[in-house]
Amino acid sequence: MFTKGNLFENYRKGAATIARSTIGKIRGTYDQLSRTEKKVAQLALDNPAVVSEMTIKELASATGVSTATISRFVKRMDYSNYREFTMALAHTAAEMTPQQNSFPELAEGDSLATIANKTFRFSINSLRATNEALNEDDLARAVIKIINAKTVAFFGLGGSAVAALDGYHKFLRTPLNVTYHPDYDIQLMQAARMTAQDCAIVISHSGRNHETLEIVRELKRNGVAIIVITSYSGSELAQAAAVTFLSLTDEVKYRSEGMYSLISQMTILDSLFMMTVLRSSSRTKPVLTRVRDVIEQTRYDS
Amino acid sequence: MFTKGNLFENYRKGAATIARSTIGKIRGTYDQLSRTEKKVAQLALDNPAVVSEMTIKELASATGVSTATISRFVKRMDYSNYREFTMALAHTAAEMTPQQNSFPELAEGDSLATIANKTFRFSINSLRATNEALNEDDLARAVIKIINAKTVAFFGLGGSAVAALDGYHKFLRTPLNVTYHPDYDIQLMQAARMTAQDCAIVISHSGRNHETLEIVRELKRNGVAIIVITSYSGSELAQAAAVTFLSLTDEVKYRSEGMYSLISQMTILDSLFMMTVLRSSSRTKPVLTRVRDVIEQTRYDS
DNA sequence: TATTATATGAAAAGAAGTTTCACATTTCAA
DNA sequence: TTGAAATGTGAAACTTCTTTTCATATAATA
């Protein structure tokens, strides 16, 4: 009977014997082949990808030889059957196709699928870059401030409103006292009401938006602990923060893609959320079961 | 009779439809599958390379189901026969770099940095899975509906409100007539006002939220073109849609992470946005400069 | 609870692939 | 040159693999 274990064993054994590429094998034995077998070999060399998808009958009629000859041919090539041969051929054919460029840029002839692929690739690259830029000290300081805050308020305008709303939404699932409102004036009033016991999470792509800076000045005046999520470490906003997290994109030259930094910002918030939950409740419940519970409870219900 | 010419034609035709990876396909239809079919799907997802080398009988005994069921399963996956399925599976297995596909789970001793790393990894995996499940036909149909719509309205409640807001925000940068309101009652009224000339983009993680379904029924009654973004292809919501996009996470068994599907949903919206902009304005300006301009214009200003 | 739809495996039917066998061609020694 | 041996080949028998049919079981629905 089949079990996972011996499946893998079989696979390993199989893989180990594939030392030479199929095409190499054919080339190597080519001139030892008979006249009819050469016809088969030639077609396989010319279009490995096509041949790999043919049945033995199709290949027979395509080359004008009998199926028997082909069956013998693949055995001579050291495959145990025709199926194994076509699989190996497909493998080599796939390897020969050129690998994609790791950095995508949208270009003229792009098909819809390509546009989508590049968009996803860009997002993934941004996440990777952002992740690499995180450091544990910052995370620790941020979590402490969040856990100990009387109130945690989210601030974000324009495009960053989405991230702020998301953060608010996530942290609603914790026992913390959280607040967010999309309107600028109300955000400003909220900032004015906060104290040194509170924590503010401010999200701004450029870090230069006037309204956001106004809010930060108000927060600072009140001694509120400020956690900033932005894409520019040099901005006035970043300077004012107790802790700054950077959302980055892979390539520096792309200077105007708040679009991609948004998901990085959200994933930073996600990380803060997970850390907060795991740390703040670690007295009450064993962690392992708790993680599941947390995820279950925090399910988005729509 | 077979000639070189029509061989290639056949091949091209075949290749064009392979927009979606096999694994993506399986993930995309996973929850529409029956109990036994899921066993087959699971094994194929877990060890695609191994399964791709098995005969239908071997796979049958490895999963404990009948060969008949497997044959039906591959047809449901849209392959014309078992052979084609294993070939495609081998293809994707070869393309997958095994290194990055290990799946992180939050565990007891995790340091803050580890929690953050795993969170990012999880997000990246979700994006990758979502990307693999996209197919070009769906993209094309969606873009056509969006471009030709009199009004494009976004719908999303609860956690998906964030994605809907984000979509609205993005498409505000296009010349299209867009609308979104966070409040359920207003969304319902909006749905009632729409006609067959309009397009609705409905976002819902589970696809089972009652309010969202109510909105969709209203939309359907009015003949509105519905584009759905959800995580469950089998949901009533997905059934009602003209086009459905799936936001997926890496592992099918983790069934409660609307958190990670959110950024996948947003990246799908991002893709639709880029495609819409590039396609709808292609008459007026040369594309290459336009891409830059678009990104520049769509800058998030906060 | 009766009825309809759906799911499933056993087995028949149908394809695909391999081996056998008879015949053709080539090689080579006498 | 000629006949025996060796090799190459395809038709057809045979085996193995895959698909379809059909009867039954199970779940969903009225």
Side-chain angles (χ1 to χ4, degrees):
Chain A
M1 198 230 156
F2 262 105
T3 70
K4 265 195 188 178
N6 62 37
L7 277 184
F8 275 115
E9 264 167 45
N10 290 341
Y11 181 57
R12 289 244 183 71
K13 248 182 275 166
T17 53
I18 302 173
R20 220 170 165 187
S21 88
T22 314
I23 289 183
K25 259 188 200 174
I26 299 177
R27 282 218 189 86
T29 30
Y30 188 83
D31 47 34
Q32 296 166 41
L33 298 173
S34 71
R35 186 179 46 78
T36 40
E37 284 177 328
K38 273 182 183 151
K39 284 196 273 184
V40 180
Q42 196 60 58
L43 193 62
L45 288 174
D46 290 347
N47 333 307
V50 180
V51 171
S52 75
E53 300 194 341
M54 295 166 99
T55 66
I56 199 169
K57 274 190 192 167
E58 285 170 343
L59 182 54
S61 63
T63 52
V65 306
S66 71
T67 62
T69 299
I70 292 172
S71 183
R72 282 188 292 260
F73 165 75
V74 303
K75 295 233 157 66
R76 197 194 280 232
M77 288 292 134
D78 225 35
Y79 295 98
S80 63
N81 55 42
Y82 181 75
R83 210 178 115 86
E84 196 176 274
F85 166 77
T86 52
M87 296 289 295
L89 198 58
H91 248 245
T92 359
E95 267 169 25
M96 293 184 348
T97 57
Q99 204 56 31
Q100 300 152 316
N101 185 354
S102 71
F103 211 85
E105 189 171 5
L106 288 169
E108 179 136 24
D110 286 355
S111 68
L112 293 179
T114 308
I115 295 174
N117 288 340
K118 287 183 177 175
T119 304
F120 275 85
R121 200 106 62 75
F122 218 119
S123 297
I124 289 171
N125 286 343
S126 302
L127 283 176
R128 224 177 252 143
T130 300
N131 186 17
E132 276 165 15
L134 288 178
N135 91 24
E136 185 144 27
D137 277 4
D138 290 344
L139 294 172
R141 285 189 295 140
V143 172
I144 289 170
K145 287 190 198 315
I146 291 171
I147 290 176
N148 296 326
K150 238 183 187 162
T151 302
V152 177
F154 291 86
F155 298 93
L157 299 166
S160 301
V162 176
L165 175 61
D166 178 53
Y168 170 67
H169 224 277
K170 285 196 174 77
F171 278 84
L172 268 182
R173 267 89 178 172
T174 69
L176 294 169
N177 217 334
V178 292
T179 169
Y180 168 73
H181 199 283
D183 187 77
Y184 165 62
D185 290 318
I186 297 183
Q187 285 191 26
L188 193 57
M189 282 155 67
Q190 174 65 35
R193 290 164 49 94
M194 294 176 81
T195 73
Q197 273 81 53
D198 300 324
C199 176
I201 298 179
V202 182
I203 303 146
S204 165
H205 171 59
S206 70
R208 292 189 200 88
N209 177 290
H210 282 296
E211 283 80 14
T212 306
L213 287 173
E214 199 55 58
I215 290 170
V216 167
R217 284 188 206 108
E218 186 61 39
L219 290 168
K220 216 164 182 199
R221 208 170 295 138
N222 296 338
V224 181
I226 303 174
I227 297 170
V228 160
I229 300 177
T230 181
S231 299
Y232 298 86
S233 58
S235 63
E236 184 186 336
L237 183 64
Q239 307 302 326
V243 185
T244 304
F245 295 108
L246 289 174
S247 58
L248 297 173
T249 54
D250 200 19
E251 287 268 278
V252 203
K253 64 178 172 180
Y254 293 88
R255 272 295 166 210
S256 40
E257 58 323 274
M259 309 177 53
Y260 301 102
S261 71
L262 182 56
I263 68 159
S264 292
Q265 290 162 1
M266 287 171 55
T267 309
I268 291 171
L269 287 168
D270 225 9
S271 302
L272 288 174
F273 166 73
M274 287 310 300
M275 292 184 281
T276 302
V277 173
L278 290 175
R279 289 297 138 118
S280 63
S281 60
S282 60
R283 304 140 220 159
T284 46
K285 271 209 238 175
V287 179
L288 234 82
T289 57
R290 219 174 346 107
V291 176
R292 260 307 149 81
D293 292 356
V294 165
I295 296 181
E296 201 61 42
Q297 285 159 24
T298 59
R299 178 168 179 179
Y300 280 49
D301 275 334
S302 64
Chain B
M1 198 224 153
F2 262 104
T3 69
K4 264 193 186 178
N6 63 37
L7 278 184
F8 275 114
E9 261 168 46
N10 289 341
Y11 181 57
R12 288 244 182 72
K13 245 183 273 165
T17 52
I18 304 174
R20 224 166 162 184
S21 87
T22 313
I23 290 185
K25 254 189 202 175
I26 299 176
R27 282 215 190 90
T29 29
Y30 189 84
D31 52 34
Q32 291 172 49
L33 298 175
S34 69
R35 186 178 46 77
T36 42
E37 284 176 328
K38 272 183 183 147
K39 285 196 271 184
V40 180
Q42 196 62 59
L43 193 63
L45 288 174
D46 290 347
N47 334 310
V50 180
V51 170
S52 75
E53 301 193 341
M54 295 165 102
T55 66
I56 201 169
K57 270 191 193 168
E58 287 170 341
L59 182 54
S61 64
T63 52
V65 308
S66 69
T67 61
T69 300
I70 292 172
S71 182
R72 282 189 292 256
F73 165 76
V74 302
K75 295 236 158 62
R76 198 194 277 231
M77 288 294 132
D78 226 35
Y79 294 98
S80 61
N81 55 42
Y82 181 75
R83 200 168 177 282
E84 194 177 300
F85 167 76
T86 52
M87 296 290 296
L89 197 58
H91 244 251
T92 13
E95 271 170 20
M96 276 188 348
T97 40
Q99 25 153 20
Q100 298 145 334
N101 281 6
S102 56
F103 191 75
E105 189 170 6
L106 289 167
E108 178 139 23
D110 287 354
S111 68
L112 292 180
T114 307
I115 295 175
N117 288 340
K118 286 183 176 174
T119 305
F120 274 85
R121 257 271 278 305
F122 216 120
S123 297
I124 288 172
N125 286 343
S126 302
L127 283 177
R128 209 176 270 143
T130 300
N131 187 17
E132 272 173 16
L134 286 178
N135 96 15
E136 184 145 25
D137 276 3
D138 290 343
L139 294 172
R141 283 188 297 139
V143 170
I144 288 170
K145 287 191 199 316
I146 291 171
I147 290 176
N148 296 326
K150 239 183 190 161
T151 302
V152 177
F154 292 86
F155 298 92
L157 298 165
S160 301
V162 176
L165 175 62
D166 179 53
Y168 171 66
H169 224 277
K170 285 195 173 75
F171 278 85
L172 268 181
R173 267 87 179 174
T174 69
L176 294 169
N177 220 334
V178 292
T179 169
Y180 169 73
H181 198 282
D183 186 77
Y184 165 62
D185 290 317
I186 297 183
Q187 285 190 26
L188 193 56
M189 281 155 66
Q190 174 66 37
R193 288 165 50 92
M194 294 176 78
T195 73
Q197 274 81 54
D198 299 326
C199 175
I201 299 180
V202 182
I203 303 148
S204 166
H205 171 59
S206 70
R208 294 189 198 87
N209 177 290
H210 281 295
E211 282 80 17
T212 306
L213 287 173
E214 201 52 61
I215 289 171
V216 167
R217 285 188 206 107
E218 186 62 40
L219 290 169
K220 210 154 187 210
R221 209 168 297 139
N222 296 339
V224 181
I226 304 173
I227 297 169
V228 159
I229 301 176
T230 182
S231 299
Y232 297 85
S233 57
S235 63
E236 182 187 337
L237 184 63
Q239 308 301 328
V243 185
T244 304
F245 294 109
L246 290 172
S247 57
L248 297 172
T249 54
D250 197 20
E251 287 270 279
V252 203
K253 61 182 171 179
Y254 293 86
R255 272 294 167 213
S256 43
E257 58 324 272
M259 308 177 54
Y260 300 102
S261 72
L262 182 55
I263 68 160
S264 292
Q265 289 162 2
M266 286 170 56
T267 309
I268 291 171
L269 287 168
D270 225 8
S271 301
L272 288 175
F273 166 73
M274 286 310 300
M275 291 185 283
T276 302
V277 173
L278 290 175
R279 288 296 138 117
S280 63
S281 60
S282 60
R283 305 140 218 157
T284 46
K285 272 209 240 175
V287 179
L288 235 81
T289 57
R290 222 178 337 116
V291 177
R292 263 306 149 80
D293 292 356
V294 167
I295 296 180
E296 200 63 41
Q297 285 159 24
T298 58
R299 177 171 178 178
Y300 280 48
D301 275 334
S302 65

